[in-house]
Amino acid sequence: KFRSKVKLIKIYLNKISTNNNKIKINLKNHSKRAKNFKLPMPDISSGKYNIFWRALSPDGHIIKGKSKFEVK
């Protein structure tokens, strides 16, 4: 959840046990600014992942972040 409405630019997953295996998330239907997003996830195998994102803030600068999660 974002504090203000942003536009998503890029999101991808990377399985931690593999190098540079980017799994892109399709943003085709998410071109509008919002505080919350629900995105369809690709089928992924069990393991630990990083999710990387970039968004355009309301004032026009790029913000980015990274989180970790695990699929069991």
Side-chain angles (χ1 to χ4, degrees):
K1 182 175 181 177
F2 295 93
R3 285 185 228 150
S4 50
K5 290 183 177 182
V6 300
K7 180 179 180 182
L8 290 177
I9 299 171
K10 180 191 280 188
I11 296 182
Y12 67 90
L13 306 174
N14 186 333
K15 193 168 185 178
I16 293 173
S17 63
T18 61
N19 290 332
N20 297 324
N21 186 17
K22 292 182 181 178
I23 303 166
K24 293 183 180 180
I25 307 295
N26 186 349
L27 298 177
K28 183 179 179 180
N29 296 322
H30 301 282
S31 61
K32 293 184 180 180
R33 291 181 178 270
K35 290 183 179 182
N36 295 305
F37 296 91
K38 290 183 181 181
L39 303 170
M41 291 296 292
D43 290 331
I44 55 177
S45 60
S46 60
K48 295 181 180 182
Y49 290 84
N50 288 315
I51 183 166
F52 298 88
W53 58 268
R54 287 185 181 218
L56 191 60
S57 73
D59 66 1
H61 73 276
I62 294 176
I63 53 177
K64 60 184 177 176
K66 169 183 149 181
S67 295
K68 293 181 182 180
F69 67 94
E70 184 174 359
V71 175
K72 293 188 176 189

CSV table of all heavy atoms in Angstrom, one decimal, residues 7-45:
chain,number,residue,atom,x,y,z
A,7,LYS,N,1.9,5.4,-10.1
A,7,LYS,CA,1.8,4.6,-11.3
A,7,LYS,C,2.9,3.6,-11.3
A,7,LYS,O,4.1,3.9,-11.3
A,7,LYS,CB,1.9,5.5,-12.6
A,7,LYS,CG,1.7,4.7,-13.8
A,7,LYS,CD,1.8,5.6,-15.0
A,7,LYS,CE,1.6,4.8,-16.3
A,7,LYS,NZ,1.7,5.6,-17.5
A,8,LEU,N,2.5,2.3,-11.4
A,8,LEU,CA,3.5,1.2,-11.4
A,8,LEU,C,4.2,1.3,-12.8
A,8,LEU,O,3.6,1.4,-13.8
A,8,LEU,CB,2.9,-0.1,-11.2
A,8,LEU,CG,2.4,-0.4,-9.8
A,8,LEU,CD1,1.7,-1.8,-9.7
A,8,LEU,CD2,3.5,-0.3,-8.8
A,9,ILE,N,5.5,1.1,-12.8
A,9,ILE,CA,6.3,1.1,-14.0
A,9,ILE,C,6.8,-0.3,-14.3
A,9,ILE,O,6.8,-0.7,-15.4
A,9,ILE,CB,7.5,2.1,-13.9
A,9,ILE,CG1,7.0,3.5,-13.7
A,9,ILE,CG2,8.4,2.0,-15.1
A,9,ILE,CD1,8.1,4.5,-13.3
A,10,LYS,N,7.3,-1.0,-13.3
A,10,LYS,CA,7.9,-2.3,-13.5
A,10,LYS,C,7.8,-3.1,-12.2
A,10,LYS,O,8.0,-2.5,-11.1
A,10,LYS,CB,9.4,-2.1,-13.9
A,10,LYS,CG,10.1,-3.4,-14.1
A,10,LYS,CD,11.6,-3.3,-14.2
A,10,LYS,CE,12.0,-2.8,-15.6
A,10,LYS,NZ,13.4,-2.8,-15.8
A,11,ILE,N,7.5,-4.4,-12.3
A,11,ILE,CA,7.6,-5.3,-11.2
A,11,ILE,C,8.1,-6.6,-11.7
A,11,ILE,O,7.7,-7.1,-12.8
A,11,ILE,CB,6.2,-5.5,-10.6
A,11,ILE,CG1,5.6,-4.3,-10.0
A,11,ILE,CG2,6.2,-6.6,-9.5
A,11,ILE,CD1,4.3,-4.4,-9.3
A,12,TYR,N,9.0,-7.2,-11.0
A,12,TYR,CA,9.5,-8.5,-11.3
A,12,TYR,C,9.9,-9.3,-10.1
A,12,TYR,O,10.2,-8.7,-9.0
A,12,TYR,CB,10.6,-8.5,-12.4
A,12,TYR,CG,11.9,-7.9,-11.9
A,12,TYR,CD1,12.9,-8.7,-11.4
A,12,TYR,CD2,12.2,-6.5,-12.1
A,12,TYR,CE1,14.1,-8.1,-11.0
A,12,TYR,CE2,13.4,-6.0,-11.7
A,12,TYR,CZ,14.3,-6.8,-11.2
A,12,TYR,OH,15.5,-6.2,-10.8
A,13,LEU,N,9.9,-10.6,-10.2
A,13,LEU,CA,10.3,-11.5,-9.1
A,13,LEU,C,11.7,-12.1,-9.5
A,13,LEU,O,12.0,-12.2,-10.7
A,13,LEU,CB,9.4,-12.6,-9.0
A,13,LEU,CG,7.9,-12.3,-8.7
A,13,LEU,CD1,7.1,-13.6,-8.7
A,13,LEU,CD2,7.7,-11.6,-7.4
A,14,ASN,N,12.4,-12.5,-8.5
A,14,ASN,CA,13.7,-13.2,-8.7
A,14,ASN,C,13.8,-14.2,-7.6
A,14,ASN,O,13.8,-13.9,-6.4
A,14,ASN,CB,14.9,-12.1,-8.6
A,14,ASN,CG,16.2,-12.8,-9.0
A,14,ASN,OD1,16.4,-13.9,-8.8
A,14,ASN,ND2,17.1,-11.9,-9.4
A,15,LYS,N,13.9,-15.5,-8.0
A,15,LYS,CA,14.1,-16.6,-7.1
A,15,LYS,C,15.5,-16.4,-6.5
A,15,LYS,O,16.5,-16.4,-7.3
A,15,LYS,CB,13.9,-17.9,-7.7
A,15,LYS,CG,13.7,-19.0,-6.7
A,15,LYS,CD,13.2,-20.3,-7.4
A,15,LYS,CE,13.0,-21.4,-6.3
A,15,LYS,NZ,12.4,-22.6,-6.9
A,16,ILE,N,15.6,-16.4,-5.2
A,16,ILE,CA,16.9,-16.1,-4.5
A,16,ILE,C,17.9,-17.2,-4.8
A,16,ILE,O,19.1,-16.9,-5.0
A,16,ILE,CB,16.7,-16.0,-3.0
A,16,ILE,CG1,15.9,-14.7,-2.8
A,16,ILE,CG2,18.0,-15.9,-2.3
A,16,ILE,CD1,15.4,-14.5,-1.3
A,17,SER,N,17.6,-18.4,-5.0
A,17,SER,CA,18.5,-19.5,-5.3
A,17,SER,C,19.1,-19.5,-6.7
A,17,SER,O,20.0,-20.3,-7.0
A,17,SER,CB,17.9,-20.9,-5.0
A,17,SER,OG,16.8,-21.1,-5.8
A,18,THR,N,18.5,-18.7,-7.6
A,18,THR,CA,19.1,-18.6,-9.0
A,18,THR,C,19.5,-17.2,-9.2
A,18,THR,O,19.0,-16.2,-8.6
A,18,THR,CB,18.0,-19.0,-10.0
A,18,THR,OG1,16.9,-18.1,-9.9
A,18,THR,CG2,17.5,-20.4,-9.7
A,19,ASN,N,20.4,-17.1,-10.2
A,19,ASN,CA,21.0,-15.7,-10.5
A,19,ASN,C,20.3,-15.2,-11.7
A,19,ASN,O,20.2,-15.8,-12.7
A,19,ASN,CB,22.5,-15.8,-10.8
A,19,ASN,CG,23.3,-16.1,-9.5
A,19,ASN,OD1,22.8,-15.7,-8.4
A,19,ASN,ND2,24.4,-16.8,-9.7
A,20,ASN,N,19.8,-13.9,-11.6
A,20,ASN,CA,19.2,-13.1,-12.7
A,20,ASN,C,18.1,-13.8,-13.4
A,20,ASN,O,17.9,-13.6,-14.6
A,20,ASN,CB,20.4,-12.7,-13.6
A,20,ASN,CG,21.4,-11.8,-13.0
A,20,ASN,OD1,21.0,-11.0,-12.1
A,20,ASN,ND2,22.6,-12.0,-13.3
A,21,ASN,N,17.3,-14.6,-12.8
A,21,ASN,CA,16.2,-15.3,-13.4
A,21,ASN,C,15.0,-14.4,-13.1
A,21,ASN,O,14.2,-14.7,-12.2
A,21,ASN,CB,16.0,-16.7,-12.9
A,21,ASN,CG,14.9,-17.4,-13.6
A,21,ASN,OD1,14.5,-17.0,-14.7
A,21,ASN,ND2,14.4,-18.5,-13.0
A,22,LYS,N,14.8,-13.3,-13.9
A,22,LYS,CA,13.7,-12.4,-13.7
A,22,LYS,C,12.4,-13.0,-14.2
A,22,LYS,O,12.3,-13.5,-15.3
A,22,LYS,CB,14.0,-11.1,-14.4
A,22,LYS,CG,15.1,-10.3,-13.8
A,22,LYS,CD,15.3,-9.0,-14.5
A,22,LYS,CE,16.5,-8.2,-13.9
A,22,LYS,NZ,16.7,-7.0,-14.7
A,23,ILE,N,11.4,-12.9,-13.3
A,23,ILE,CA,10.0,-13.2,-13.7
A,23,ILE,C,9.2,-12.0,-13.7
A,23,ILE,O,8.9,-11.4,-12.7
A,23,ILE,CB,9.4,-14.2,-12.7
A,23,ILE,CG1,10.3,-15.5,-12.5
A,23,ILE,CG2,8.0,-14.6,-13.1
A,23,ILE,CD1,10.0,-16.3,-11.3
A,24,LYS,N,8.9,-11.5,-14.9
A,24,LYS,CA,8.2,-10.2,-15.1
A,24,LYS,C,6.7,-10.4,-14.7
A,24,LYS,O,6.1,-11.4,-15.0
A,24,LYS,CB,8.4,-9.6,-16.5
A,24,LYS,CG,9.8,-9.2,-16.8
A,24,LYS,CD,9.9,-8.6,-18.1
A,24,LYS,CE,11.3,-8.2,-18.4
A,24,LYS,NZ,11.5,-7.6,-19.7
A,25,ILE,N,6.2,-9.3,-14.1
A,25,ILE,CA,4.7,-9.3,-13.8
A,25,ILE,C,4.1,-8.3,-14.8
A,25,ILE,O,4.6,-7.2,-15.1
A,25,ILE,CB,4.5,-8.7,-12.4
A,25,ILE,CG1,5.3,-9.5,-11.3
A,25,ILE,CG2,3.0,-8.6,-12.1
A,25,ILE,CD1,4.9,-10.9,-11.2
A,26,ASN,N,3.0,-8.8,-15.5
A,26,ASN,CA,2.4,-8.0,-16.5
A,26,ASN,C,1.6,-6.9,-15.9
A,26,ASN,O,0.7,-7.1,-15.1
A,26,ASN,CB,1.4,-8.9,-17.3
A,26,ASN,CG,0.8,-8.3,-18.5
A,26,ASN,OD1,0.9,-7.0,-18.7
A,26,ASN,ND2,0.2,-9.0,-19.3
A,27,LEU,N,1.9,-5.6,-16.3
A,27,LEU,CA,1.2,-4.4,-15.8
A,27,LEU,C,0.3,-3.9,-16.9
A,27,LEU,O,-0.2,-2.7,-16.7
A,27,LEU,CB,2.3,-3.4,-15.4
A,27,LEU,CG,3.2,-3.8,-14.3
A,27,LEU,CD1,4.2,-2.7,-14.1
A,27,LEU,CD2,2.4,-4.1,-13.0
A,28,LYS,N,0.0,-4.6,-17.9
A,28,LYS,CA,-0.8,-4.1,-19.0
A,28,LYS,C,-2.2,-3.5,-18.5
A,28,LYS,O,-2.6,-2.4,-19.0
A,28,LYS,CB,-1.1,-5.3,-20.0
A,28,LYS,CG,-1.9,-4.9,-21.2
A,28,LYS,CD,-2.1,-6.0,-22.1
A,28,LYS,CE,-2.9,-5.7,-23.3
A,28,LYS,NZ,-3.1,-6.8,-24.2
A,29,ASN,N,-2.8,-4.1,-17.6
A,29,ASN,CA,-4.1,-3.6,-17.1
A,29,ASN,C,-4.0,-2.7,-15.9
A,29,ASN,O,-5.0,-2.5,-15.2
A,29,ASN,CB,-5.1,-4.8,-16.9
A,29,ASN,CG,-5.4,-5.6,-18.1
A,29,ASN,OD1,-5.5,-5.0,-19.2
A,29,ASN,ND2,-5.4,-6.9,-18.0
A,30,HIS,N,-2.8,-2.2,-15.6
A,30,HIS,CA,-2.6,-1.4,-14.4
A,30,HIS,C,-1.9,-0.1,-14.7
A,30,HIS,O,-0.9,0.2,-14.1
A,30,HIS,CB,-1.8,-2.2,-13.4
A,30,HIS,CG,-2.5,-3.5,-13.0
A,30,HIS,ND1,-3.5,-3.5,-12.1
A,30,HIS,CD2,-2.3,-4.8,-13.4
A,30,HIS,CE1,-4.0,-4.8,-12.0
A,30,HIS,NE2,-3.3,-5.5,-12.7
A,31,SER,N,-2.4,0.6,-15.6
A,31,SER,CA,-1.8,1.9,-16.1
A,31,SER,C,-2.3,3.1,-15.3
A,31,SER,O,-1.7,4.2,-15.4
A,31,SER,CB,-2.0,2.1,-17.6
A,31,SER,OG,-3.4,2.2,-17.8
A,32,LYS,N,-3.3,3.0,-14.5
A,32,LYS,CA,-3.8,4.1,-13.7
A,32,LYS,C,-3.1,4.2,-12.4
A,32,LYS,O,-2.7,3.2,-11.8
A,32,LYS,CB,-5.3,4.0,-13.5
A,32,LYS,CG,-6.1,4.1,-14.8
A,32,LYS,CD,-7.6,4.0,-14.5
A,32,LYS,CE,-8.4,4.1,-15.8
A,32,LYS,NZ,-9.8,4.1,-15.6
A,33,ARG,N,-3.1,5.4,-11.9
A,33,ARG,CA,-2.5,5.6,-10.5
A,33,ARG,C,-3.4,5.1,-9.5
A,33,ARG,O,-4.6,5.2,-9.6
A,33,ARG,CB,-2.3,7.1,-10.3
A,33,ARG,CG,-1.2,7.7,-11.2
A,33,ARG,CD,-1.0,9.2,-10.9
A,33,ARG,NE,0.1,9.7,-11.7
A,33,ARG,CZ,1.4,9.7,-11.3
A,33,ARG,NH1,1.7,9.3,-10.1
A,33,ARG,NH2,2.3,10.2,-12.1
A,34,ALA,N,-2.8,4.5,-8.4
A,34,ALA,CA,-3.6,4.0,-7.3
A,34,ALA,C,-2.7,3.9,-6.0
A,34,ALA,O,-1.5,4.0,-6.1
A,34,ALA,CB,-4.2,2.6,-7.6
A,35,LYS,N,-3.4,3.7,-4.9
A,35,LYS,CA,-2.6,3.5,-3.6
A,35,LYS,C,-2.4,2.0,-3.4
A,35,LYS,O,-1.5,1.6,-2.8
A,35,LYS,CB,-3.4,4.1,-2.5
A,35,LYS,CG,-3.4,5.6,-2.4
A,35,LYS,CD,-4.1,6.1,-1.2
A,35,LYS,CE,-4.1,7.6,-1.1
A,35,LYS,NZ,-4.7,8.1,0.1
A,36,ASN,N,-3.3,1.2,-3.9
A,36,ASN,CA,-3.3,-0.3,-3.8
A,36,ASN,C,-3.4,-0.9,-5.1
A,36,ASN,O,-4.1,-0.4,-6.0
A,36,ASN,CB,-4.5,-0.8,-2.9
A,36,ASN,CG,-4.5,-0.3,-1.5
A,36,ASN,OD1,-3.5,-0.5,-0.8
A,36,ASN,ND2,-5.5,0.4,-1.1
A,37,PHE,N,-2.7,-2.0,-5.3
A,37,PHE,CA,-2.8,-2.8,-6.5
A,37,PHE,C,-3.0,-4.3,-6.2
A,37,PHE,O,-2.4,-4.8,-5.3
A,37,PHE,CB,-1.5,-2.6,-7.3
A,37,PHE,CG,-1.2,-1.2,-7.8
A,37,PHE,CD1,-0.5,-0.3,-7.0
A,37,PHE,CD2,-1.7,-0.8,-9.0
A,37,PHE,CE1,-0.2,1.0,-7.4
A,37,PHE,CE2,-1.4,0.5,-9.4
A,37,PHE,CZ,-0.7,1.4,-8.6
A,38,LYS,N,-3.8,-4.9,-7.1
A,38,LYS,CA,-3.9,-6.4,-7.0
A,38,LYS,C,-3.4,-6.9,-8.4
A,38,LYS,O,-4.0,-6.5,-9.4
A,38,LYS,CB,-5.3,-6.8,-6.8
A,38,LYS,CG,-5.8,-6.5,-5.4
A,38,LYS,CD,-7.2,-7.0,-5.2
A,38,LYS,CE,-7.7,-6.7,-3.8
A,38,LYS,NZ,-9.1,-7.2,-3.6
A,39,LEU,N,-2.3,-7.6,-8.4
A,39,LEU,CA,-1.7,-8.1,-9.6
A,39,LEU,C,-1.8,-9.6,-9.7
A,39,LEU,O,-1.6,-10.3,-8.7
A,39,LEU,CB,-0.3,-7.6,-9.7
A,39,LEU,CG,0.0,-6.2,-9.5
A,39,LEU,CD1,1.5,-5.9,-9.3
A,39,LEU,CD2,-0.5,-5.4,-10.7
A,40,PRO,N,-2.0,-10.1,-10.9
A,40,PRO,CA,-2.0,-11.6,-11.1
A,40,PRO,C,-0.6,-12.1,-10.9
A,40,PRO,O,0.3,-11.5,-11.5
A,40,PRO,CB,-2.6,-11.8,-12.5
A,40,PRO,CG,-2.3,-10.5,-13.2
A,40,PRO,CD,-2.3,-9.4,-12.1
A,41,MET,N,-0.4,-13.1,-10.2
A,41,MET,CA,0.9,-13.7,-10.0
A,41,MET,C,1.1,-14.9,-10.9
A,41,MET,O,0.2,-15.6,-11.2
A,41,MET,CB,1.1,-14.2,-8.5
A,41,MET,CG,1.1,-13.1,-7.5
A,41,MET,SD,2.6,-12.0,-7.7
A,41,MET,CE,3.9,-13.2,-7.2
A,42,PRO,N,2.3,-15.0,-11.5
A,42,PRO,CA,2.6,-16.1,-12.3
A,42,PRO,C,2.7,-17.4,-11.5
A,42,PRO,O,2.9,-17.3,-10.3
A,42,PRO,CB,3.9,-15.7,-13.0
A,42,PRO,CG,4.6,-14.8,-12.0
A,42,PRO,CD,3.4,-14.1,-11.3
A,43,ASP,N,2.6,-18.5,-12.1
A,43,ASP,CA,2.8,-19.8,-11.4
A,43,ASP,C,4.3,-19.9,-11.1
A,43,ASP,O,5.2,-19.8,-12.0
A,43,ASP,CB,2.4,-21.0,-12.3
A,43,ASP,CG,0.9,-21.1,-12.4
A,43,ASP,OD1,0.2,-20.6,-11.5
A,43,ASP,OD2,0.5,-21.6,-13.5
A,44,ILE,N,4.6,-20.0,-9.8
A,44,ILE,CA,6.0,-20.1,-9.4
A,44,ILE,C,6.2,-21.3,-8.5
A,44,ILE,O,5.2,-21.7,-7.8
A,44,ILE,CB,6.5,-18.8,-8.7
A,44,ILE,CG1,5.6,-18.4,-7.5
A,44,ILE,CG2,6.6,-17.7,-9.7
A,44,ILE,CD1,6.1,-17.2,-6.7
A,45,SER,N,7.4,-21.8,-8.4
A,45,SER,CA,7.7,-23.0,-7.6
A,45,SER,C,8.0,-22.6,-6.2
A,45,SER,O,8.2,-21.4,-5.9
A,45,SER,CB,8.8,-23.8,-8.2
A,45,SER,OG,10.0,-23.0,-8.2
